Amino acid sequence: EIACGRHVCIARVGVAVVSWGAGHFGQLGQGPHVSHLKEPQIIRQLLPQSTGSPVVQLAAGAWHLCARTENGKVFAWGSNRRYQCGMKAPSTLVYPQPIDGNIAFTKIVCGKSHCIGLE
């Protein structure tokens, strides 16, 4: 599976999620000092030992991305200027962050500046 935002791509490779492209708003999920990747790099915060279960779905907006795990957790990162990552602050998330709540999501979809999740 692959999802592409504006100038950034993420893909599932086995149990890993990789990112590449431009990440001026943290969309690469690789931290505050990585703004470009020419080759795919693993997003360590999305490995099963970090999330509790493997990522099974990816979604991308223009400047933000989301990943859903097998157990229904959703992680978001990138631009959060319009709260599209499901958090009040900060305005940029440079690593995937879990969306709070006791919801087990079954599907996620991202638009330009929003996300929708189904329970």
Side-chain angles (χ1 to χ4, degrees):
E1 181 176 8
I2 191 168
C4 297
R6 188 167 181 158
H7 308 299
V8 64
C9 291
I10 55 173
R12 281 191 305 131
V13 181
V15 296
V17 175
V18 297
S19 65
W20 69 98
H24 300 289
F25 298 101
Q27 321 76 306
L28 294 170
Q30 304 285 348
H33 305 293
V34 181
S35 62
H36 293 84
L37 288 174
K38 292 181 181 181
E39 297 181 12
Q41 297 291 318
I42 292 173
I43 302 174
R44 298 197 184 288
Q45 288 79 4
L46 293 177
L47 289 170
Q49 58 265 36
S50 297
T51 62
S53 67
V55 169
V56 295
Q57 185 189 1
L58 302 171
W63 306 104
H64 68 289
L65 300 109
C66 292
R68 181 178 60 85
T69 64
E70 189 174 73
N71 63 6
K73 290 183 185 176
V74 173
F75 293 79
W77 66 102
S79 176
N80 191 39
R81 290 181 180 180
R82 294 191 172 110
Y83 314 113
Q84 60 265 48
C85 292
M87 294 159 222
K88 291 183 181 178
S91 63
T92 300
L93 303 170
V94 296
Y95 294 111
Q97 300 293 317
I99 293 178
D100 291 335
N102 293 322
I103 300 171
F105 290 94
T106 60
K107 185 162 180 80
I108 53 172
V109 179
C110 292
K112 180 180 178 183
S113 296
H114 65 280
C115 288
I116 297 172
L118 297 177
E119 185 176 13

PDB file of all heavy atoms in Angstrom, residues 81-101:
ATOM      1  N   ARG A  81      -1.923  22.546  11.407  1.00  0.00           N
ATOM      2  CA  ARG A  81      -2.341  23.953  11.508  1.00  0.00           C
ATOM      3  C   ARG A  81      -3.852  24.117  11.570  1.00  0.00           C
ATOM      4  O   ARG A  81      -4.350  25.076  12.119  1.00  0.00           O
ATOM      5  CB  ARG A  81      -1.778  24.751  10.340  1.00  0.00           C
ATOM      6  CG  ARG A  81      -0.286  24.914  10.438  1.00  0.00           C
ATOM      7  CD  ARG A  81       0.267  25.707   9.305  1.00  0.00           C
ATOM      8  NE  ARG A  81       1.708  25.824   9.477  1.00  0.00           N
ATOM      9  CZ  ARG A  81       2.484  26.460   8.636  1.00  0.00           C
ATOM     10  NH1 ARG A  81       1.973  27.033   7.568  1.00  0.00           N
ATOM     11  NH2 ARG A  81       3.768  26.519   8.849  1.00  0.00           N
ATOM     12  N   ARG A  82      -4.567  23.193  10.975  1.00  0.00           N
ATOM     13  CA  ARG A  82      -6.038  23.228  11.024  1.00  0.00           C
ATOM     14  C   ARG A  82      -6.565  22.059  11.850  1.00  0.00           C
ATOM     15  O   ARG A  82      -7.673  21.617  11.654  1.00  0.00           O
ATOM     16  CB  ARG A  82      -6.603  23.203   9.613  1.00  0.00           C
ATOM     17  CG  ARG A  82      -6.247  24.459   8.837  1.00  0.00           C
ATOM     18  CD  ARG A  82      -7.014  24.572   7.548  1.00  0.00           C
ATOM     19  NE  ARG A  82      -6.774  25.856   6.943  1.00  0.00           N
ATOM     20  CZ  ARG A  82      -6.082  26.030   5.833  1.00  0.00           C
ATOM     21  NH1 ARG A  82      -5.561  25.010   5.189  1.00  0.00           N
ATOM     22  NH2 ARG A  82      -5.919  27.237   5.347  1.00  0.00           N
ATOM     23  N   TYR A  83      -5.716  21.553  12.732  1.00  0.00           N
ATOM     24  CA  TYR A  83      -6.047  20.449  13.646  1.00  0.00           C
ATOM     25  C   TYR A  83      -6.392  19.159  12.898  1.00  0.00           C
ATOM     26  O   TYR A  83      -7.084  18.306  13.419  1.00  0.00           O
ATOM     27  CB  TYR A  83      -7.192  20.856  14.598  1.00  0.00           C
ATOM     28  CG  TYR A  83      -6.980  22.213  15.199  1.00  0.00           C
ATOM     29  CD1 TYR A  83      -7.808  23.268  14.875  1.00  0.00           C
ATOM     30  CD2 TYR A  83      -5.921  22.444  16.074  1.00  0.00           C
ATOM     31  CE1 TYR A  83      -7.596  24.533  15.407  1.00  0.00           C
ATOM     32  CE2 TYR A  83      -5.696  23.700  16.621  1.00  0.00           C
ATOM     33  CZ  TYR A  83      -6.535  24.734  16.282  1.00  0.00           C
ATOM     34  OH  TYR A  83      -6.316  25.982  16.813  1.00  0.00           O
ATOM     35  N   GLN A  84      -5.870  19.022  11.675  1.00  0.00           N
ATOM     36  CA  GLN A  84      -6.174  17.846  10.870  1.00  0.00           C
ATOM     37  C   GLN A  84      -5.544  16.564  11.411  1.00  0.00           C
ATOM     38  O   GLN A  84      -5.940  15.475  11.013  1.00  0.00           O
ATOM     39  CB  GLN A  84      -5.788  18.065   9.400  1.00  0.00           C
ATOM     40  CG  GLN A  84      -4.322  18.349   9.154  1.00  0.00           C
ATOM     41  CD  GLN A  84      -4.003  19.824   9.066  1.00  0.00           C
ATOM     42  OE1 GLN A  84      -4.420  20.607   9.916  1.00  0.00           O
ATOM     43  NE2 GLN A  84      -3.262  20.216   8.049  1.00  0.00           N
ATOM     44  N   CYS A  85      -4.608  16.684  12.337  1.00  0.00           N
ATOM     45  CA  CYS A  85      -4.012  15.505  12.973  1.00  0.00           C
ATOM     46  C   CYS A  85      -4.758  15.109  14.248  1.00  0.00           C
ATOM     47  O   CYS A  85      -4.328  14.213  14.971  1.00  0.00           O
ATOM     48  CB  CYS A  85      -2.529  15.736  13.270  1.00  0.00           C
ATOM     49  SG  CYS A  85      -1.522  15.856  11.789  1.00  0.00           S
ATOM     50  N   GLY A  86      -5.863  15.786  14.526  1.00  0.00           N
ATOM     51  CA  GLY A  86      -6.695  15.424  15.662  1.00  0.00           C
ATOM     52  C   GLY A  86      -6.196  15.913  17.006  1.00  0.00           C
ATOM     53  O   GLY A  86      -6.580  15.377  18.037  1.00  0.00           O
ATOM     54  N   MET A  87      -5.322  16.920  17.007  1.00  0.00           N
ATOM     55  CA  MET A  87      -4.778  17.460  18.248  1.00  0.00           C
ATOM     56  C   MET A  87      -4.845  18.979  18.229  1.00  0.00           C
ATOM     57  O   MET A  87      -4.787  19.584  17.169  1.00  0.00           O
ATOM     58  CB  MET A  87      -3.326  17.024  18.405  1.00  0.00           C
ATOM     59  CG  MET A  87      -3.179  15.531  18.590  1.00  0.00           C
ATOM     60  SD  MET A  87      -1.539  14.983  18.179  1.00  0.00           S
ATOM     61  CE  MET A  87      -1.935  13.497  17.278  1.00  0.00           C
ATOM     62  N   LYS A  88      -4.938  19.584  19.413  1.00  0.00           N
ATOM     63  CA  LYS A  88      -4.997  21.046  19.500  1.00  0.00           C
ATOM     64  C   LYS A  88      -3.636  21.677  19.255  1.00  0.00           C
ATOM     65  O   LYS A  88      -3.548  22.774  18.741  1.00  0.00           O
ATOM     66  CB  LYS A  88      -5.541  21.465  20.856  1.00  0.00           C
ATOM     67  CG  LYS A  88      -6.997  21.130  21.030  1.00  0.00           C
ATOM     68  CD  LYS A  88      -7.512  21.630  22.353  1.00  0.00           C
ATOM     69  CE  LYS A  88      -8.965  21.254  22.521  1.00  0.00           C
ATOM     70  NZ  LYS A  88      -9.484  21.687  23.805  1.00  0.00           N
ATOM     71  N   ALA A  89      -2.565  21.024  19.668  1.00  0.00           N
ATOM     72  CA  ALA A  89      -1.215  21.573  19.505  1.00  0.00           C
ATOM     73  C   ALA A  89      -0.236  20.412  19.444  1.00  0.00           C
ATOM     74  O   ALA A  89      -0.561  19.304  19.873  1.00  0.00           O
ATOM     75  CB  ALA A  89      -0.875  22.503  20.672  1.00  0.00           C
ATOM     76  N   PRO A  90       0.905  20.569  18.905  1.00  0.00           N
ATOM     77  CA  PRO A  90       1.456  21.746  18.225  1.00  0.00           C
ATOM     78  C   PRO A  90       0.958  21.833  16.786  1.00  0.00           C
ATOM     79  O   PRO A  90       0.238  20.953  16.321  1.00  0.00           O
ATOM     80  CB  PRO A  90       2.951  21.499  18.281  1.00  0.00           C
ATOM     81  CG  PRO A  90       3.081  20.020  18.216  1.00  0.00           C
ATOM     82  CD  PRO A  90       1.888  19.483  18.976  1.00  0.00           C
ATOM     83  N   SER A  91       1.402  22.876  16.063  1.00  0.00           N
ATOM     84  CA  SER A  91       0.954  23.053  14.685  1.00  0.00           C
ATOM     85  C   SER A  91       1.693  22.147  13.712  1.00  0.00           C
ATOM     86  O   SER A  91       1.256  21.974  12.582  1.00  0.00           O
ATOM     87  CB  SER A  91       1.089  24.513  14.263  1.00  0.00           C
ATOM     88  OG  SER A  91       2.448  24.898  14.282  1.00  0.00           O
ATOM     89  N   THR A  92       2.814  21.575  14.127  1.00  0.00           N
ATOM     90  CA  THR A  92       3.562  20.632  13.299  1.00  0.00           C
ATOM     91  C   THR A  92       3.954  19.435  14.154  1.00  0.00           C
ATOM     92  O   THR A  92       4.506  19.600  15.240  1.00  0.00           O
ATOM     93  CB  THR A  92       4.842  21.289  12.724  1.00  0.00           C
ATOM     94  OG1 THR A  92       4.457  22.406  11.923  1.00  0.00           O
ATOM     95  CG2 THR A  92       5.620  20.316  11.870  1.00  0.00           C
ATOM     96  N   LEU A  93       3.668  18.241  13.655  1.00  0.00           N
ATOM     97  CA  LEU A  93       4.045  16.999  14.334  1.00  0.00           C
ATOM     98  C   LEU A  93       5.111  16.314  13.490  1.00  0.00           C
ATOM     99  O   LEU A  93       4.831  15.881  12.376  1.00  0.00           O
ATOM    100  CB  LEU A  93       2.827  16.082  14.487  1.00  0.00           C
ATOM    101  CG  LEU A  93       1.644  16.693  15.239  1.00  0.00           C
ATOM    102  CD1 LEU A  93       0.430  15.803  15.129  1.00  0.00           C
ATOM    103  CD2 LEU A  93       2.008  16.911  16.692  1.00  0.00           C
ATOM    104  N   VAL A  94       6.336  16.240  14.005  1.00  0.00           N
ATOM    105  CA  VAL A  94       7.451  15.704  13.219  1.00  0.00           C
ATOM    106  C   VAL A  94       7.617  14.191  13.375  1.00  0.00           C
ATOM    107  O   VAL A  94       8.401  13.574  12.663  1.00  0.00           O
ATOM    108  CB  VAL A  94       8.770  16.435  13.541  1.00  0.00           C
ATOM    109  CG1 VAL A  94       8.677  17.908  13.132  1.00  0.00           C
ATOM    110  CG2 VAL A  94       9.124  16.306  15.013  1.00  0.00           C
ATOM    111  N   TYR A  95       6.888  13.601  14.318  1.00  0.00           N
ATOM    112  CA  TYR A  95       6.847  12.150  14.500  1.00  0.00           C
ATOM    113  C   TYR A  95       5.381  11.726  14.578  1.00  0.00           C
ATOM    114  O   TYR A  95       4.542  12.498  15.052  1.00  0.00           O
ATOM    115  CB  TYR A  95       7.533  11.730  15.810  1.00  0.00           C
ATOM    116  CG  TYR A  95       9.010  11.973  15.859  1.00  0.00           C
ATOM    117  CD1 TYR A  95       9.537  12.954  16.698  1.00  0.00           C
ATOM    118  CD2 TYR A  95       9.891  11.217  15.094  1.00  0.00           C
ATOM    119  CE1 TYR A  95      10.903  13.173  16.766  1.00  0.00           C
ATOM    120  CE2 TYR A  95      11.264  11.432  15.156  1.00  0.00           C
ATOM    121  CZ  TYR A  95      11.752  12.412  15.993  1.00  0.00           C
ATOM    122  OH  TYR A  95      13.109  12.634  16.054  1.00  0.00           O
ATOM    123  N   PRO A  96       5.055  10.517  14.159  1.00  0.00           N
ATOM    124  CA  PRO A  96       3.683  10.035  14.309  1.00  0.00           C
ATOM    125  C   PRO A  96       3.250  10.060  15.773  1.00  0.00           C
ATOM    126  O   PRO A  96       3.990   9.626  16.653  1.00  0.00           O
ATOM    127  CB  PRO A  96       3.754   8.592  13.781  1.00  0.00           C
ATOM    128  CG  PRO A  96       4.910   8.600  12.830  1.00  0.00           C
ATOM    129  CD  PRO A  96       5.902   9.549  13.441  1.00  0.00           C
ATOM    130  N   GLN A  97       2.047  10.590  16.015  1.00  0.00           N
ATOM    131  CA  GLN A  97       1.486  10.700  17.356  1.00  0.00           C
ATOM    132  C   GLN A  97       0.141   9.977  17.389  1.00  0.00           C
ATOM    133  O   GLN A  97      -0.648  10.112  16.455  1.00  0.00           O
ATOM    134  CB  GLN A  97       1.263  12.163  17.733  1.00  0.00           C
ATOM    135  CG  GLN A  97       2.513  12.995  17.733  1.00  0.00           C
ATOM    136  CD  GLN A  97       3.472  12.571  18.829  1.00  0.00           C
ATOM    137  OE1 GLN A  97       3.075  12.321  19.958  1.00  0.00           O
ATOM    138  NE2 GLN A  97       4.741  12.451  18.489  1.00  0.00           N
ATOM    139  N   PRO A  98      -0.140   9.234  18.462  1.00  0.00           N
ATOM    140  CA  PRO A  98      -1.439   8.559  18.536  1.00  0.00           C
ATOM    141  C   PRO A  98      -2.573   9.565  18.740  1.00  0.00           C
ATOM    142  O   PRO A  98      -2.415  10.542  19.460  1.00  0.00           O
ATOM    143  CB  PRO A  98      -1.290   7.644  19.753  1.00  0.00           C
ATOM    144  CG  PRO A  98      -0.221   8.276  20.579  1.00  0.00           C
ATOM    145  CD  PRO A  98       0.699   8.977  19.624  1.00  0.00           C
ATOM    146  N   ILE A  99      -3.674   9.312  18.075  1.00  0.00           N
ATOM    147  CA  ILE A  99      -4.871  10.113  18.283  1.00  0.00           C
ATOM    148  C   ILE A  99      -5.548   9.587  19.534  1.00  0.00           C
ATOM    149  O   ILE A  99      -5.822   8.393  19.644  1.00  0.00           O
ATOM    150  CB  ILE A  99      -5.798  10.045  17.060  1.00  0.00           C
ATOM    151  CG1 ILE A  99      -5.110  10.735  15.880  1.00  0.00           C
ATOM    152  CG2 ILE A  99      -7.146  10.690  17.359  1.00  0.00           C
ATOM    153  CD1 ILE A  99      -5.887  10.694  14.601  1.00  0.00           C
ATOM    154  N   ASP A 100      -5.786  10.480  20.486  1.00  0.00           N
ATOM    155  CA  ASP A 100      -6.380  10.083  21.763  1.00  0.00           C
ATOM    156  C   ASP A 100      -7.824   9.631  21.589  1.00  0.00           C
ATOM    157  O   ASP A 100      -8.513  10.051  20.673  1.00  0.00           O
ATOM    158  CB  ASP A 100      -6.339  11.248  22.751  1.00  0.00           C
ATOM    159  CG  ASP A 100      -4.930  11.578  23.193  1.00  0.00           C
ATOM    160  OD1 ASP A 100      -4.075  10.683  23.138  1.00  0.00           O
ATOM    161  OD2 ASP A 100      -4.691  12.735  23.575  1.00  0.00           O
ATOM    162  N   GLY A 101      -8.250   8.811  22.500  1.00  0.00           N
ATOM    163  CA  GLY A 101      -9.630   8.351  22.506  1.00  0.00           C
ATOM    164  C   GLY A 101      -9.693   6.844  22.603  1.00  0.00           C
ATOM    165  O   GLY A 101      -8.713   6.139  22.360  1.00  0.00           O
TER     166      GLY A 101
END
